[in-house]
Amino acid sequence: GAAALFLAGAEASKALGEVATARAAAAKAVDFSRKLGDKAALARSLTSLAEMHLASSPAEASDADPREALRAAYEALSAFREVGAQEGEASVLLVIADARAKLGYGSEGATAATEALAIFRALGQLRGLERSLATIVRAYVSSFQAQRALDIMQQERSMARDRGDTASELAAARALKDVYVVMG
């Protein structure tokens, strides 16, 4: 419906570097979803708004607002849980993780990303698993805990190998590579 159109406009504006326009479109999607009383659409719209609050335009790096991102993301999390949308719940947990890391709370961000990882693993969502592992790495690295990220990625890789899950093992190996790059 209309909320989806606003969200598509928000994504297009973000891709063009027009972050303020993207935020406005996402906010309209939130307002429209609230008026309709559609919890699932509201949760998706709030997630998009949170993502837009984390984004910054190339010209103005300081226009990101992680606190507003958290406010929208926690409301989205509640709505996703209310409607039982686990994939949406996991996705917004990754937004929460990034916002926490940007505010200097990398360990809390890693905790949210780990929760998302468990959901994506239970759903068999490889792409979500990869995004979760990358978010865990970013969160720990942002709080100068690269060794912690390294330990977790090695553990994830080992567990995937023990399960015979080669796709998850490869995802963990990619995340492990990212940690090694950061560590030099």
Side-chain angles (χ1 to χ4, degrees):
L5 290 175
F6 284 123
L7 292 179
E11 287 298 324
S13 295
K14 180 182 171 189
L16 294 171
E18 299 170 359
V19 176
T21 303
R23 279 191 197 118
K28 285 181 182 181
V30 168
D31 290 342
F32 194 77
S33 299
R34 280 192 208 285
K35 287 178 187 170
L36 286 177
D38 184 342
K39 282 282 190 188
L42 178 61
R44 289 189 301 274
S45 298
L46 284 163
T47 300
S48 179
L49 182 60
E51 290 169 341
M52 298 309 157
H53 278 300
L54 287 178
S56 58
S57 64
E60 186 64 48
S62 65
D63 60 356
D65 189 347
R67 290 190 197 294
E68 278 301 308
L70 276 177
R71 185 199 59 73
Y74 277 118
E75 187 177 349
L77 180 62
S78 176
F80 278 128
R81 286 179 174 165
E82 190 174 320
V83 298
Q86 288 185 305
E87 188 172 346
E89 177 183 344
S91 291
V92 79
L93 281 165
L94 295 180
V95 175
I96 290 169
D98 280 335
R100 286 273 177 218
K102 284 188 179 199
L103 288 168
Y105 303 107
S107 291
E108 290 177 20
T111 299
T114 301
E115 190 176 340
L117 176 69
I119 294 168
F120 282 127
R121 183 179 290 127
L123 294 174
Q125 295 276 342
L126 180 60
R127 180 68 186 121
L129 185 133
E130 289 173 339
R131 288 176 40 226
S132 298
L133 292 173
T135 303
I136 291 167
V137 169
R138 278 194 313 276
Y140 277 125
V141 168
S142 77
S143 61
F144 307 102
Q145 297 182 58
Q147 184 61 51
R148 178 79 175 123
L150 180 68
D151 295 344
I152 289 171
M153 292 311 116
Q154 288 173 332
Q155 180 182 17
E156 283 294 326
R157 186 174 176 200
S158 176
M159 289 182 343
R161 184 180 299 130
D162 291 348
R163 289 191 312 268
D165 184 351
T166 54
S168 294
E169 183 180 354
L170 181 58
R174 283 188 196 115
L176 193 56
K177 174 202 57 105
D178 293 341
V179 178
Y180 281 126
V181 168
V182 169
M183 292 178 80

